[in-house]
Amino acid sequence: MTAAGTVLMVTELQDATANSVIAELHQRGVPVARFNLSDIGPDLVSSAYFGDGLMAGWLRTSSRSVDLRDVRSLLWRRPVWPEFGHLPDHDAAHAVAQVRYGLGGVLYGLPGCLYVNHPLRNRDAEYKPLQLDLAQRAGFRVPPTLISNDLAEIREFIGRLGPVIHKALRWTPYYLEDGTGASMWTEPVATDELDESVIVASHLFQAQVPKVADVRVVVVGNQVFPIRIDSGLLDWRRDYSALKYSVTDLPDGMAGALVTYLRDLGLASGSFDLCIDRNGDFYWLELNPNGQWGWLEAETGLPLAAAFADLLERGEL
């Protein structure tokens, strides 16, 4: 069954992945309103009314006007919140908070809307300890993992289970002293590289799987798209030119388990990272609830944009 109404697309201006989904929806005659949260002002105006047992409101962009009661689905991609750099710091901080809890709050509570994904559920699902616990309880094979800031326990873990890798608990912008941006990759770590400075923050250490390939699985509603990535790299994100892609299969029951995993987190879509060891066993590594996937469609020909369009047009899982 296909719902009626508009699809909202909340993302930054330069988002080619969103463009591919919009093109699919336009071909189907589905109305789409696209905007970025930083557009607020003359190019993004909204009002919402609550009372008399109802919610009513509208949103207007530079090219569209939408009745908020008529939104069938919302794709929350890569929006940027306004910063109000022209205001004094205290005024800017106040204005940002008002937008986040005003316009953001309205968008978070649209009646009858399918979220792909709800931004608050995306946020919750980014916590790796939660991901790991849910993966274990769901029956996935998870490498032994330690999250700690205790130097003695970390050294014992590495000594007992080495080789061990370290990876960030969450991606954040990181800059060197000269202001140059730097990426934080998954890296091997040894006990003699650690000192008491680890006590200042939590760190994630994980037994390194002797992998032969990685697998990125994009789940869209009930559609599951597994892609094998061959590279020979510990962290395949370091060199996209070294990657070879192929459409692959998952072990029996795993596709359904991944769909259920997302449902348990209140998500309609997500990108899973798995790997395969020398025995052909699959290991669960992590979930990116709002992961990039556009380049995978170009590399494999899988109909990922169409799958997202199907879900957004239908307006239900």
Side-chain angles (χ1 to χ4, degrees), residues 232-248:
L233 300 172
L234 177 59
D235 188 333
W236 55 262
R237 301 169 301 167
R238 296 193 77 140
D239 185 1
Y240 282 79
S241 67
L243 308 182
K244 294 181 180 179
Y245 305 91
S246 56
V247 178
T248 191

Side-chain angles (χ1 to χ4, degrees), residues 135-193:
Q136 287 192 141
R137 289 190 281 115
F140 292 100
R141 186 179 283 106
V142 176
T145 304
L146 176 68
I147 298 172
S148 177
N149 70 327
D150 184 274
L151 178 59
E153 186 160 358
I154 295 168
R155 283 178 168 165
E156 188 279 332
F157 179 82
I158 295 173
R160 177 167 51 88
L161 292 170
V164 164
I165 57 93
H166 170 267
K167 59 185 178 183
L169 283 156
R170 189 181 190 281
W171 182 89
T172 55
Y174 190 86
Y175 299 93
L176 304 178
E177 291 183 2
D178 63 0
T180 304
S183 294
M184 300 184 68
W185 308 111
T186 298
E187 298 273 12
V189 61
T191 55
D192 59 6
E193 297 178 275

Side-chain angles (χ1 to χ4, degrees), residues 17 23 94 175 299:
T17 299
H94 175 78
Y175 299 93
E299 293 287 350

